[in-house]
């Protein structure tokens, strides 16, 4: 069939309509009562003074960012940065600070009523291993260094807010915890935040995380994920002398084929669900039958039930592959061990949640378009438990996250700090 200009025009119109339609669905507005609340709060003398202080200390905030970025914080080895961050919080003028059992840094700003706890959080860890050159390099108005945006900028924002609350004499009603959390990235599996919400832990009423993205991001939904390390084990031997012996790498190949085939069929339909084999390893040399072969698998879904279902597909595929390979005529048998290395729950808070409304209203107050988003962040844990929580963008401009070429530029970056302060104070309450 010939594709005429008319057909082309109709197709183009459809594409444009769907694009703007999708964006229109993403566009959100806060209820008028919250818009009024944020406007009233922002007009208070203490808040106006705080905004002026944030502008005044902008250079110091950048220096804090550089100082913290140049302290390594690899996964599970955040302690050096934690100690430095605690000292900087103390200098900023918070009332009390401590490092908990898993390495989280907590700085307390006491509230006048103190019957509630509002957390303002950024994570200490980066994805980069020990020995990575984290020296900050400046080119023009842009800062380059691994981890400078994700999430060291968030830590610098927390310090700026702590300093500002002290200098502007802001008195919150609720206790505010300034938290530098461990274990947000990769195999850290949100261990820092999970510790805060463990059974018997002190009650937290609201959680405001600062992580990736531009000002205007209001993450009110958690993207759940499940991760496994599948380990196939055998005796191992010489590639010639022991030829015919069960080979874990060959068994792994069976497993990859089974899983990707079945998972592809499942993810082709229904709410978005993904799967990925991110790392593979094992073996000692090209002429040796390995004694072990492993892979690390990441599965995600916007729907908690679908995450459970693809988890089942994964396990079934692994055991079927093992059975098929062991029945293929090889000598000896391969054994399989499945190790769960990650478990982040899904969840979503209603748009009507007061914290979400306040975040949307504050975002609009600063001239940004609020966008409700879904992500995999520290906020996943409280969101899944139904506790008010959002993740806000760090503002400015940046890119190259999780790469050696990561960069951040202070393009109106103070706006995001003011926004985070305003949202936190709206949630905590301001003493007159």
């Amino acid at each position: 069939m010939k594709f005429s200009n008319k057909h082309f025009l109709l197709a183009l119109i459809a594409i444009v309509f769907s694009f703007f339609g999708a964006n229109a669905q993403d566009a959100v507005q806060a209820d008028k009562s919250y818009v009024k609340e944020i406007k009233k709060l922002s007009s208070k003398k203490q808040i106006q003074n705080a905004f002026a202080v944030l502008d005044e200390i902008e250079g110091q905030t950048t220096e804090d960012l550089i100082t913290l970025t140049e302290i390594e914080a690899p996964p599970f080895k955040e302690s050096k940065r934690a100690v430095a961050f605690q000292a900087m919080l103390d200098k900023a003028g918070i009332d009390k600070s401590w490092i908990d059992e898993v390495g989280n840094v907590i700085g307390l700003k006491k509230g006048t009523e103190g019957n509630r706890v509002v957390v303002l959080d950024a994570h200490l860890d980066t994805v980069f291993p020990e020995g990575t050159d984290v020296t900050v390099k400046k080119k023009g108005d842009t800062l380059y260094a691994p981890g400078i945006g994700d999430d060291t900028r968030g830590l610098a924002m927390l310090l700026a807010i702590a300093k500002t609350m002290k200098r502007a004499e802001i008195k919150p009603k609720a206790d505010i915890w300034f938290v530098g959390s461990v274990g947000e990235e990769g195999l850290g599996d949100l261990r820092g935040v999970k510790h805060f919400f463990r059974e018997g832990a002190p009650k937290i009423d609201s959680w405001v995380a600062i992580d990736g993205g531009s000002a205007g991001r209001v993450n009110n939904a958690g993207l759940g994920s499940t991760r496994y390390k599948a380990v196939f084990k055998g005796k191992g031997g010489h590639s010639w002398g022991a030829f015919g012996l069960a080979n874990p790498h060959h068994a792994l190949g069976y497993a990859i084929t089974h899983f990707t085939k079945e998972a592809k069929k499942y993810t082709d339909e229904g709410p978005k669900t993904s799967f990925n084999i991110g790392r593979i390893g094992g073996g000692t040399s090209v002429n040796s039958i390995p004694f072990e072969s492993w892979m690390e698998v990441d599965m995600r879904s916007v729907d908690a039930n679908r995450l459970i279902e693809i988890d089942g597909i994964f396990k079934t595929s692994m055991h079927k592959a093992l059975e098929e390979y062991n029945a293929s005529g090889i000598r000896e048998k391969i054994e399989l061990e499945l190790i769960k290395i990650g478990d982040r729950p899904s969840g979503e808070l209603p748009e009507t949640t007061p914290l979400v409304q306040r975040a949307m209203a504050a975002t609009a107050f600063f001239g940004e378009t609020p966008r409700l988003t879904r992500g995999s962040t520290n906020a996943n844990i409280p969101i899944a438990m139904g506790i008010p929580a959002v993740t806000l963008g760090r503002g400015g401009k940046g890119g190259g996250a999780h790469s050696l070429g990561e960069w951040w530029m202070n393009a109106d970056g103070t706006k995001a700090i003011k926004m985070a302060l305003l949202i936190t104070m709206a949630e905590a309450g301001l003493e007159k």
Side-chain angles (χ1 to χ4, degrees), residues 305-324:
N305 289 327
R306 282 179 64 80
L307 193 57
I308 293 171
E309 288 168 356
I310 196 168
D311 182 293
I313 290 170
F314 168 74
K315 290 175 180 174
T316 299
S317 297
M318 294 301 101
H319 289 293
K320 281 187 176 179
L322 180 68
E323 183 180 340
E324 184 178 325

Side-chain angles (χ1 to χ4, degrees), residues 185-225:
E185 298 287 8
L187 298 182
D189 197 33
L190 305 184
R191 75 181 191 280
V193 180
K194 286 178 178 178
H195 184 74
F196 283 111
F197 292 98
R198 71 194 185 280
E199 187 175 349
K203 184 175 183 290
I204 291 172
D205 297 278
S206 301
W207 187 281
V208 179
I210 299 174
D211 209 330
S214 59
R217 174 198 191 189
V218 179
N219 194 118
N220 68 315
L223 175 62
S225 66

Side-chain angles (χ1 to χ4, degrees), residues 118-146:
V118 176
V119 169
L120 186 59
D121 156 73
H123 62 85
L124 290 162
D125 57 325
T126 72
V127 299
F128 303 98
E130 252 181 320
T132 301
D133 184 0
V134 290
T135 305
V136 177
K137 299 175 179 62
K138 188 172 183 180
K139 297 180 183 178
D141 54 3
T142 305
L143 301 175
Y144 293 83

Side-chain angles (χ1 to χ4, degrees), residues 33 41 61 77 106 117 160 208 268 290 314 336 357 382 392 428 430:
S33 62
L41 178 62
T61 303
K77 296 181 179 180
I106 301 99
V117 173
V208 179
D268 279 347
F314 168 74
L336 169 64
Q357 286 285 316
L392 308 176
L430 178 65

